[in-house]
């Protein structure tokens, strides 16, 4: 199996709630450490391979593949993740503004609040990205179904029994994003 397939199969395997929480906590701690290193050193191009980069960041190849999965939409030219082997050469230039936005979108406060952002993006830029994010949350809000209508995610459950709580959490994250 290719690295991306392995990563997906790990994240999609059957887990109890405790295993799930433990898995993501461990992953997110490692992910945060990688982001810190990249942002603090302004090492804004990921160059090498899954194998060499996982050594650089001292994580397992699967963990680094998960990291790539997360950052891919914030690269100037997203990688063809599915086709990567551990030794396929990769070069991914990080689009800082996209990354900062996507960290808000993922509600990853511990990432968009990293100190390094203060030197990487000006205060005005950060503010305008936050505003764009808030705006997008408001638009999503207007499109939402009523509590008893079918959920907009296509699950065929009622909205209140499905994504309502998640959407409300997103609203709260947007309100406190400053
Ligand atoms: Zn739903």
């Amino acid at each position: 199996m290719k690295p991306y397939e392995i990563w997906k199969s790990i994240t999609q395997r059957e887990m109890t709630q405790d295993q799930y929480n433990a898995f993501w906590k461990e992953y997110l701690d490692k992910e945060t450490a990688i982001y810190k290193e990249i942002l603090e050193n302004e090492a804004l191009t990921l160059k090498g391979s899954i194998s060499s980069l996982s050594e650089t960041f001292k994580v397992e190849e699967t963990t680094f593949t998960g990291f790539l999965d997360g950052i891919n939409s914030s690269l100037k030219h997203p990688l063809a993740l599915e086709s990567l082997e551990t030794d396929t050469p990769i070069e991914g230039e990080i689009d800082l503004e996209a990354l900062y936005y996507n960290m808000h979108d993922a509600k990853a406060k511990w990432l968009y609040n990293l100190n390094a952002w203060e030197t990487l993006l000006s205060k005005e830029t950060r503010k305008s990205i936050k505003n764009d994010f808030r705006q997008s949350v408001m638009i999503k809000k207007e499109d939402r179904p009523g509590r008893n209508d079918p959920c907009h995610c296509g699950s065929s459950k009622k909205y209140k029994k499905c994504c309502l709580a998640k959407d409300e959490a997103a609203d709260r994250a947007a309100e406190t994003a400053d």
Side-chain angles (χ1 to χ4, degrees):
M1 277 203 285
K2 293 191 166 137
Y4 184 72
E5 219 177 317
I6 297 174
W7 166 249
K8 281 288 148 191
S9 72
I10 288 175
T11 58
Q12 288 161 6
R13 73 187 190 270
E14 290 275 348
M15 284 187 261
T16 64
Q17 192 63 45
D18 284 350
Q19 286 169 330
Y20 181 90
N21 294 346
F23 172 81
W24 285 107
K25 184 184 182 314
E26 192 186 337
Y27 171 77
L28 292 173
D29 284 348
K30 291 178 185 170
E31 182 190 58
T32 305
I34 299 175
Y35 274 121
K36 253 184 115 166
E37 194 163 335
I38 287 176
L39 297 176
E40 282 172 6
N41 297 317
E42 302 193 26
L44 304 178
T45 300
L46 299 166
K47 196 169 190 293
S49 62
I50 289 176
S51 165
S52 73
L53 288 164
S54 62
E55 266 177 49
T56 305
F57 294 107
K58 300 177 194 70
V59 292
E60 288 176 4
E61 290 179 348
T62 310
T63 304
F64 191 74
T65 307
F67 176 79
L68 286 179
D69 193 18
I71 202 173
N72 207 27
S73 57
S74 309
L75 297 178
K76 291 190 178 159
H77 303 284
L79 305 164
L81 286 181
E82 285 94 342
S83 68
L84 295 181
E85 301 283 1
T86 55
D87 58 355
T88 309
I90 55 179
E91 190 166 347
E93 200 188 332
I94 299 169
D95 179 336
L96 278 182
E97 297 189 10
L99 180 61
Y100 191 68
Y101 182 95
N102 289 333
M103 285 174 170
H104 283 80
D105 206 30
K107 300 176 257 318
K109 204 170 184 167
W110 61 95
L111 294 179
Y112 64 70
N113 280 340
L114 287 173
N115 289 335
W117 283 114
E118 288 170 26
T119 45
L120 289 168
L121 294 177
S122 71
K123 204 173 177 184
E124 292 70 41
T125 307
R126 280 181 278 135
K127 207 172 162 188
S128 108
I129 295 172
K130 277 177 213 281
N131 285 338
D132 287 349
F133 168 68
R134 283 200 188 93
Q135 205 93 50
S136 84
V137 173
M138 308 263 257
I139 292 165
K140 282 182 205 149
K141 215 169 176 174
E142 284 165 15
D143 285 343
R144 281 179 205 165
R147 295 175 57 83
N148 290 309
D149 293 335
C151 192
H152 50 66
C153 74
S155 68
S156 78
K157 285 188 233 169
K158 284 182 182 180
Y159 180 48
K160 67 178 179 192
K161 299 235 170 199
C162 194
C163 295
L164 176 64
K166 195 183 81 200
D167 290 343
E168 285 176 346
D171 296 343
R172 280 195 298 278
E175 279 153 20
T176 57
D178 50 26

